[in-house]
Amino acid sequence: MDKVLASTGSAKVNIIGHSLGGSVPMWWMKKMGGAQKVDKYVGWAPSSHGTNLDGIVDLGNQLNLMGFVTHLSNVARFPGVIEQTNTSDYTREMWSDGDTVPAGPRYTVVMTKYDTVVTPYATQALKGEDVDNVVLQDVCPTDRAGHIGLFNDDPTLQITMNALADGPSDFKPVCRGFGLQLL
């Protein structure tokens, strides 16, 4: 971020993050002091409060298998998947001091009821001042974009552009050009 700020001459950056890409900047803002360098944060289906992977994590915990799964993910070099679970140390540490940073950025979270990756989808929402949580189906009831489909979903892009432009808080996107119905 410091390189971006230096090369652009800007005082602050805007961040758009999807899935784990929505969680990583939150860590930087909350735990590494980056919030004062961010004007706006937009998360597309961020793994904010972790995921239960449609109940798989809950089942793994009930069967006492999560230790094995965590070890396997470390050996296979995909610990980020486990860190996104709702019971991980990473998730607990991330949110131990609340959802937002005082005097931090303006936050917008775009969620879809059809998300089968970050589940339940409502765990993506943030609480606090300067937060706008948008469920796609609340503004476009026929939009069936899934977790992956947010990147090419016109309403998601419109909501994002409105947030970055300090547009109206009651903004309603044009409901067409829906994203992929994947995951």
Side-chain angles (χ1 to χ4, degrees):
M1 293 300 176
D2 290 332
K3 285 183 180 182
V4 170
L5 293 172
S7 67
T8 63
S10 297
K12 294 187 174 198
V13 297
N14 293 323
I15 295 175
I16 301 170
H18 187 193
S19 194
L20 180 58
S23 177
V24 170
M26 289 297 291
W27 184 275
W28 176 72
M29 289 188 291
K30 293 182 72 188
K31 303 298 180 184
M32 300 173 70
Q36 288 66 37
K37 298 177 183 181
V38 180
D39 187 36
K40 295 172 191 78
Y41 162 87
V42 179
W44 297 344
S47 53
S48 298
H49 295 280
T51 178
N52 70 9
L53 294 170
D54 260 350
I56 294 171
V57 174
D58 299 335
L59 179 63
N61 283 325
Q62 289 173 357
L63 297 174
N64 292 319
L65 295 174
M66 285 309 290
F68 171 75
V69 173
T70 300
H71 175 71
L72 181 63
S73 77
N74 289 333
V75 170
R77 298 185 182 263
F78 57 87
V81 172
I82 299 302
E83 288 175 348
Q84 290 185 78
T85 64
N86 58 349
T87 57
S88 74
D89 292 340
Y90 172 86
T91 299
R92 285 189 193 120
E93 173 66 20
M94 169 80 84
W95 307 106
S96 63
D97 57 354
D99 287 7
T100 62
V101 177
R106 173 87 184 130
Y107 301 85
T108 301
V109 176
V110 181
M111 303 166 272
T112 172
K113 291 180 180 180
Y114 297 102
D115 196 321
T116 60
V117 176
V118 180
T119 58
Y121 77 88
T123 62
Q124 300 168 23
L126 298 175
K127 296 177 188 90
E129 292 185 35
D130 294 324
V131 174
D132 187 19
N133 293 301
V134 180
V135 178
L136 274 176
Q137 291 72 34
D138 289 349
V139 294
C140 291
T142 59
D143 190 339
R144 295 183 55 89
H147 183 84
I148 292 175
L150 295 181
F151 83 95
N152 73 339
D153 182 73
D154 283 357
T156 297
L157 299 177
Q158 293 170 51
I159 292 164
T160 301
M161 296 306 293
N162 183 68
L164 296 177
D166 288 324
S169 60
D170 62 347
F171 176 77
K172 300 289 186 236
V174 175
C175 297
R176 66 173 184 248
F178 301 141
L180 300 170
Q181 295 180 25
L182 292 173
L183 303 173

